[in-house]
Amino acid sequence: MKTIYRLLKKRFGFLNWWPGDSDFEILVGAILTQQTSWKNVEKAVANLKDAHMLDISKISECDIDYLQQLVHPAGFYRQKAIRLKEICSAIIKDYDGFENFLSLDAKNLRESLLSMKGIGRETADSIILYASGKPVFVVDAYTRRILGRVYRQEEAYRNIGYDELQKEIESGIKKDLGLYKDFHAQMVQLGKDYCLKKPLCTNCPLNGICLYSIHNNGVHPSK
């Protein structure tokens, strides 16, 4: 894991991810980014900002039709608006405010997030890492794909449980908030730029250690 991170950082430099002007904006972005691109999330967040609605109390009290209109660019807008409103209402009701909610320790915060409809492990851990500033490694589809190719065990990494894979990654690197944030960002960058469904191995920063790249000579195998 340390070698992977070193090579990625050498290529991409330090990556300041997750984008957001506030912890609450990070939570909103984490919910809206499910099943869509970040560009679409940015449009939805911009709509909320322009309407002065990027506020937990305002969203919890917002007319659902209006909220759906604002988050429309993020896709699945009816479902996401309902979930966003419900989550904001639950945080206010159960924790008397967003800051109290984020002040929970990582274990309790994760349990609370996972109890909310529409929040899975990846979304919960994104909120814990980037909004509450507690070191948990976020496992996403890019992580599974990259590690599966590096170790040439794609099926195994597709099927490994989320918590098991998270434990494997965390055991291989120092437990550090800044490192976890940057390493996750590096994996996202690699997944977007090189480790695509049909990978661009030739200039990939990991091609010297990636068993998939070495085995296939940097060429995607024909099917």
Side-chain angles (χ1 to χ4, degrees), residues 101-162:
F101 177 64
L102 289 188
S103 69
L104 295 171
D105 63 64
K107 182 177 181 292
N108 287 320
L109 182 54
R110 194 174 198 244
E111 288 176 356
S112 179
L113 285 164
L114 291 177
S115 73
M116 299 177 183
K117 190 173 180 181
I119 294 186
R121 284 172 168 78
E122 181 185 339
T123 301
D125 287 344
S126 295
I127 293 166
I128 294 168
L129 179 65
Y130 293 106
S132 75
K134 297 176 177 68
V136 295
F137 195 89
V138 178
V139 175
D140 56 22
Y142 291 132
T143 306
R144 291 180 182 276
R145 181 190 300 163
I146 292 164
L147 294 181
R149 285 175 176 163
V150 166
Y151 300 119
R152 209 173 168 214
Q153 298 181 42
E154 291 184 74
E155 185 175 353
Y157 277 94
R158 271 196 302 269
N159 296 322
I160 189 173
Y162 182 100

Side-chain angles (χ1 to χ4, degrees), residues 156-194:
Y157 277 94
R158 271 196 302 269
N159 296 322
I160 189 173
Y162 182 100
D163 292 340
E164 185 181 349
L165 180 51
Q166 184 182 62
K167 201 171 291 184
E168 177 185 328
I169 296 168
E170 291 183 352
S171 68
I173 54 176
K174 179 183 176 183
K175 187 170 185 177
D176 179 82
L177 178 63
L179 174 59
Y180 281 17
K181 286 182 177 182
D182 192 45
F183 197 175
H184 175 241
Q186 301 286 344
M187 297 289 259
V188 171
Q189 195 68 47
L190 185 74
K192 288 166 59 179
D193 291 355
Y194 295 100

Side-chain angles (χ1 to χ4, degrees), residues 19-139:
D21 294 330
S22 67
D23 294 337
F24 182 65
E25 183 177 332
I26 290 171
L27 177 137
V28 171
I31 294 168
L32 295 182
T33 197
Q34 297 177 44
Q35 298 177 289
T36 192
S37 70
W38 187 254
K39 287 183 179 179
N40 292 333
V41 174
E42 287 179 325
K43 293 175 185 175
V45 170
N47 284 348
L48 290 166
K49 285 183 174 180
D50 291 343
H52 303 289
M53 287 295 299
L54 196 61
D55 177 271
I56 190 168
S57 297
K58 289 181 179 179
I59 289 177
S60 71
E61 298 167 0
C62 184
D63 175 78
I64 193 62
D65 292 332
Y66 182 48
L67 187 57
Q68 288 174 358
Q69 179 184 333
L70 293 174
V71 303
H72 189 280
F76 299 95
Y77 61 93
R78 292 187 180 90
Q79 185 182 64
K80 288 181 180 180
I82 291 169
R83 287 178 178 173
L84 189 57
K85 183 178 172 70
E86 288 177 347
I87 289 165
C88 288
S89 297
I91 291 172
I92 291 172
K93 177 178 177 291
D94 296 337
Y95 299 98
D96 193 30
F98 189 58
E99 294 307 316
N100 290 337
F101 177 64
L102 289 188
S103 69
L104 295 171
D105 63 64
K107 182 177 181 292
N108 287 320
L109 182 54
R110 194 174 198 244
E111 288 176 356
S112 179
L113 285 164
L114 291 177
S115 73
M116 299 177 183
K117 190 173 180 181
I119 294 186
R121 284 172 168 78
E122 181 185 339
T123 301
D125 287 344
S126 295
I127 293 166
I128 294 168
L129 179 65
Y130 293 106
S132 75
K134 297 176 177 68
V136 295
F137 195 89
V138 178
V139 175

